[in-house]
Amino acid sequence: MVISPGFKLSRRHVVVGLSLIGFFIVGIFAWQAWTASRALLDARTHAETVQKRIKAGDFDGANRALAELRSNTSKAHDSTDGLLWDLGKHIPYFGRNVGAVQTVSEVLDTATQVNAPIALELSRAVDAGVFRPDKGQLNLTEIQKLTPKVNRAAASIEKASRDLDGIRSGKLVFPFNDLVGDLKDEVERARSASTATATAFDLMPQMLGADQPRDYLLIIQNPAELRATGGLPGSLAVLHADKGRITMGWQGSAGDVNPFSGPVVTLPKDTLQQYGPTMATDFRDINFTPDFPQAAQIAKAMLAQKLKIHVDGVVSVDPLALAGLMQGTGPINAGHGVVLTASNVVPVLLNQTYQSIQDAAAQDTFFENVARKIFDAVTTGQGNQQLAITGLANATNQHRVQLWSDRDDEESRLAGTAVGGALGGKSGRTPQVGMYINDSTAGKMDYYLQYRSSVSAVDCRRHGAQDLRASVSFVSTMPKDYQRLSEFITGTGAYAPKGTIAFNLRFYAPYGGEIVGLTVNGKPNSATADLHHGRQVAFLPVALKPQEQVIVTADIRTAPGQDGDGVFSFTPGMIPAPNGVTFTSACD
């Protein structure tokens, strides 16, 4: 380029030149941002199409939609990957939004390139009947073939969760704050599900007797009489697994295991103080504690001492989980003119049987027959396996399916998963809050108890502590003409007046935290507070008359350094709801 001798470069020329360059850079940046946003919006549409095609069994259509989805996320990733975006991340205030969009684009691109094809392959395998039992036999070889891919998907989602965890969505501008917050929630749910799936694929062969036979105690918990882990451990059975073939042996009830003249195990001092000695002397009370592994170990000891039956682990479900399975199996003839379906199995097992059969032994016989009928339907592959697996997955997400193994290596893998059921202790930056219920009417009144609960972080304090608020609304749906109900439902009146739903409520603060206040229907209320597993516990007896509502709120303060998103777990009741849910940090 030749510059005229008369040309003088002034400050104005420099400013104009730099402005033009700046506008050019901003223009490129804006164009790339617009391209990325359009691609991400299109990706959302195609992601929904992929899901719809899979549900419809149209895997060719799902593959076509997946190809479009991968093209969209790849375009978004390419548009946000470059020097301009890397530099943009360091611009004060605006930079955090640039970095968030860049991370989201990368996470979604990885999800479609790595995770989506594996999910599609698994769905195709389910549709093809790969996981369908044949006369009680599961194909462990096919499960082992798919395990590396399942683990790869789980590792990818785990990385995505860590990457997104570094974004403080509360500090982003609208609409990025909501979009990133929603994505973090979705990825966290996917992380939990993929981790549980990978653990299941890893452990399934050995736990189903690939190397040596295994025996498991099956407990069907009854949420009509609540216990902290879900319900009274009523109907029991022993399952035998050998090289993938599962059979049902002994069946019975808690009454067949009781009574015991003394404790079968020595309870830890904090458990004994919190829940009393009957956990170790009465099978019906083993799960007063919300710590399922502890309850399972007591069950194993009781079974061995009383019946000389030795098991390698304990698995637990409840009738709402059975209803999920029956969405796939279809109707099951239980005999005596009773046909069970996904829509009626819960009221039949938790309420109607206690009204129509007025003999405890006959009730147990009916429950045992139903358990075997459902077991046979599942293990013979009856019905739609995809619906059955989906129903079981939903129940697992609600903490209605729990599993404990007496092998330390297996139990260490189960701990922390949705099926592990362990009561958390130290948890780093993650505050864990619990709300657990134990019935005190000695009836089946909790069938009429509905509750919805939540936790939110309301303030970020010095040194990374948070103020939390846990709230639960209890409603009694007990009919006013409760006198017509049998005493199997209402109880005898010895522990609570007939028609009253009575239970003990416990809030667990995070490890090292404290419960600083408790209100009942807006009025301050005192509560007993002790430690269990290093966590402060507030104990409150509650009683509801027919049609009454009670709202309980607990104000909780975490320990310093617990400034991350929290996790809230609770006793699963009659209302299906996700459990182990994440709540957003106030320090975000």
Side-chain angles (χ1 to χ4, degrees):
M1 181 175 67
V2 179
I3 300 177
S4 170
F7 178 81
K8 292 184 178 180
L9 187 64
S10 67
R11 180 179 297 176
R12 179 173 175 273
H13 290 125
V14 172
V15 171
V16 170
L18 290 176
S19 298
L20 289 173
I21 294 173
F23 281 125
F24 180 70
I25 292 174
V26 170
I28 294 175
F29 195 86
W31 171 256
Q32 290 178 339
W34 183 85
T35 302
S37 65
R38 288 300 309 168
L40 290 176
L41 287 173
D42 290 341
R44 186 170 190 172
T45 300
H46 286 114
E48 292 172 352
T49 302
V50 171
Q51 292 176 340
K52 290 178 181 178
R53 293 288 183 268
I54 289 175
K55 288 181 179 179
D58 177 12
F59 294 103
D60 290 337
N63 267 319
R64 290 192 296 271
L66 178 58
E68 294 289 341
L69 175 61
R70 295 169 78 170
S71 174
N72 295 143
T73 57
S74 179
K75 183 184 293 184
H77 185 210
D78 290 344
S79 297
T80 58
D81 184 28
L83 180 62
L84 284 180
W85 286 80
D86 290 339
L87 292 174
K89 289 190 295 186
H90 302 288
I91 300 174
Y93 181 72
F94 182 68
R96 64 170 67 103
N97 297 280
V98 174
V101 172
Q102 196 174 37
T103 299
V104 166
S105 297
E106 181 180 358
V107 164
L108 292 178
D109 189 39
T110 301
T112 57
Q113 304 298 329
V114 177
N115 304 107
I118 295 174
L120 184 58
E121 183 176 353
L122 285 175
S123 297
R124 190 188 293 272
V126 171
D127 190 68
V130 169
F131 306 112
R132 183 187 299 275
D134 181 15
K135 298 179 181 178
Q137 178 79 49
L138 278 170
N139 191 332
L140 298 183
T141 301
E142 289 298 324
I143 291 172
Q144 289 170 319
K145 285 181 181 178
L146 288 167
T147 297
K149 292 183 179 180
V150 172
N151 284 330
R152 183 184 174 208
S156 174
I157 295 176
E158 178 70 33
K159 181 182 182 302
S161 180
R162 289 197 305 270
D163 290 344
L164 289 173
D165 193 48
I167 302 176
R168 295 185 177 273
S169 56
K171 294 186 179 297
L172 302 179
V173 299
F174 180 82
F176 296 129
N177 51 356
D178 289 342
L179 293 173
V180 173
D182 290 345
L183 180 61
K184 289 176 72 172
D185 290 342
E186 290 181 17
V187 170
E188 177 56 30
R189 285 193 292 269
R191 186 204 63 78
S192 177
S194 65
T195 300
T197 302
T199 301
F201 271 69
D202 280 340
L203 297 182
M204 201 181 303
Q206 63 197 60
M207 293 190 74
L208 292 183
D211 300 323
Q212 58 180 337
R214 299 283 189 96
D215 290 307
Y216 297 95
L217 173 63
L218 170 65
I219 297 176
I220 300 179
Q221 297 191 58
N222 187 336
E225 186 173 349
L226 285 168
R227 295 291 186 269
T229 64
L232 179 84
S235 190
L236 313 174
V238 173
L239 305 180
H240 181 73
D242 187 7
K243 292 181 171 55
R245 182 178 296 279
I246 309 170
T247 55
M248 180 179 284
W250 173 86
Q251 287 184 268
S253 68
D256 295 313
V257 184
N258 283 339
F260 293 91
S261 58
V264 298
V265 298
T266 301
L267 295 174
K269 289 183 179 179
D270 61 344
T271 299
L272 184 63
Q273 180 178 358
Q274 189 67 232
Y275 294 105
T278 61
M279 272 184 57
T281 61
D282 190 330
F283 197 95
R284 296 169 298 181
D285 297 341
I286 59 171
N287 53 341
F288 272 168
T289 174
D291 189 54
F292 181 75
Q294 184 178 41
Q297 291 174 63
I298 297 172
K300 171 184 167 71
M302 286 184 170
L303 209 65
Q305 181 172 316
K306 179 56 67 72
L307 302 178
K308 309 305 178 187
I309 296 176
H310 300 276
V311 295
D312 302 289
V314 178
V315 59
S316 174
V317 297
D318 73 359
L320 280 82
L322 298 180
L325 280 171
M326 291 181 66
Q327 291 175 6
T329 65
I332 294 174
N333 190 338
H336 304 287
V338 178
V339 177
L340 296 175
T341 66
S343 60
N344 74 3
V345 65
V346 171
V348 167
L349 295 183
L350 298 185
N351 184 255
Q352 295 170 13
T353 298
Y354 297 106
Q355 189 70 6
S356 61
I357 302 177
Q358 293 300 301
D359 177 75
Q363 291 171 2
D364 289 341
T365 299
F366 177 75
F367 292 142
E368 291 169 16
N369 178 59
V370 168
R372 185 171 289 276
K373 293 274 189 179
I374 295 176
F375 174 82
D376 289 344
V378 172
T379 56
T380 56
Q382 176 178 315
N384 185 315
Q385 288 297 291
Q386 189 164 14
L387 290 178
I389 291 173
T390 299
L392 185 63
N394 289 336
T396 299
N397 187 43
Q398 297 171 26
H399 292 188
R400 299 183 187 277
V401 180
Q402 296 168 311
L403 176 62
W404 170 79
S405 171
D406 71 348
R407 266 69 163 179
D408 290 341
D409 59 332
E410 294 172 357
E411 180 58 22
S412 66
R413 291 291 308 278
L414 293 171
T417 67
V419 299
L423 178 63
K426 292 182 179 180
S427 53
R429 294 180 54 228
T430 304
Q432 295 185 345
V433 177
M435 186 209 76
Y436 304 106
I437 301 170
N438 282 299
D439 176 83
S440 57
T441 59
K444 300 298 180 286
M445 294 285 285
D446 299 326
Y447 177 80
Y448 299 97
L449 177 65
Q450 295 189 355
Y451 54 89
R452 291 177 172 83
S453 55
S454 64
V455 174
S456 60
V458 296
D459 190 26
C460 181
R461 302 178 63 85
R462 293 179 58 190
H463 308 300
Q466 298 186 66
D467 283 341
L468 314 175
R469 175 158 291 176
S471 181
V472 55
S473 172
F474 296 103
V475 176
S476 168
T477 63
M478 172 61 60
K480 292 184 178 180
D481 60 342
Y482 60 84
Q483 294 88 349
R484 65 180 175 80
L485 300 176
S486 75
E487 286 192 350
F488 286 109
I489 296 174
T490 63
T492 62
Y495 301 99
K498 288 187 177 182
T500 296
I501 301 175
F503 54 90
N504 294 322
L505 172 66
R506 287 176 172 86
F507 282 105
Y508 275 66
Y511 188 91
E514 61 178 330
I515 296 171
V516 296
L518 200 68
T519 65
V520 178
N521 289 336
K523 297 180 180 179
N525 197 91
S526 60
T528 304
D530 293 303
L531 289 179
H532 188 225
H533 284 228
R535 297 169 63 179
Q536 191 178 81
V537 183
F539 168 81
L540 179 70
V542 180
L544 281 78
K545 297 177 182 179
Q547 307 298 307
E548 186 179 6
Q549 179 180 15
V550 170
I551 298 174
V552 182
T553 300
D555 289 320
I556 302 168
R557 184 162 297 160
T558 76
Q562 292 184 337
D563 59 351
D565 292 345
V567 176
F568 175 47
S569 302
F570 52 90
T571 297
M574 294 303 303
I575 298 179
N579 212 324
V581 294
T582 299
F583 57 90
T584 303
S585 169
C587 300
D588 198 1

